Amino acid sequence: TEAELAAWGERFGRAAHAPLVVTLSGDLGAGKTTLAQAICRGYGVAEAVTSPTYALVHTYTSPRGPVYHLDLYRLESPAELDNAGWDEIAGAHALVLVEWPARAGDRLPHGAVLLDLEHLPGDPERRLLLAG
């Protein structure tokens, strides 16, 4: 459920240590931004976390360090990551959350934590979270 997803995300955020890149995959409406918001809360981000769909990247602060939240949905090619400062972001001592990571192609760093949300057939209120 959304509440369970949020609770899991907050626990994950509390346990996360930078530098860390986390990818969030799933169909539209699967809960990627909801999960990103929960991870940020757990990591200590106090401000509102919103979807960076149009801005491509939002930067947040926490007592533990910076958080970069990217939404690559509108990217047409991985080369467009250069305009967002991808190399600096991916190499920063930060927590980096990436929605729609497939659009980054081979530019995702090795060691990224891969999370995937899937709709459960016949139950629109629940999601399956796959990690790894």
Side-chain angles (χ1 to χ4, degrees), residues 5-132:
L5 180 64
W8 187 92
E10 287 182 26
R11 287 191 308 272
F12 182 92
R14 284 191 299 274
H17 294 282
L20 180 64
V21 175
V22 179
T23 68
L24 306 170
S25 298
D27 293 335
L28 284 170
K32 296 178 295 296
T33 300
T34 298
L35 182 55
Q37 291 166 334
I39 292 170
C40 286
R41 276 193 308 275
Y43 199 70
V45 173
E47 61 196 287
V49 173
T50 59
S51 177
T53 300
Y54 295 100
L56 188 64
V57 61
H58 287 168
T59 305
Y60 302 101
T61 58
S62 88
R64 299 170 62 191
V67 177
Y68 296 98
H69 179 198
L70 293 94
D71 185 329
L72 308 183
Y73 181 73
R74 298 197 178 282
L75 254 59
E76 294 185 21
S77 78
E80 292 180 59
L81 287 169
D82 294 335
N83 295 335
W86 174 253
D87 292 333
E88 294 80 16
I89 291 170
H93 190 81
L95 174 61
V96 180
L97 305 173
V98 182
E99 296 186 39
W100 299 96
R103 309 238 182 195
D106 63 356
R107 297 198 53 193
L108 289 172
H110 294 291
V113 174
L114 311 176
L115 302 178
D116 184 37
L117 289 164
E118 296 181 4
H119 290 95
L120 289 177
D123 192 350
E125 300 301 318
R126 298 180 66 85
R127 304 290 184 268
L128 179 63
L129 172 64
L130 303 169

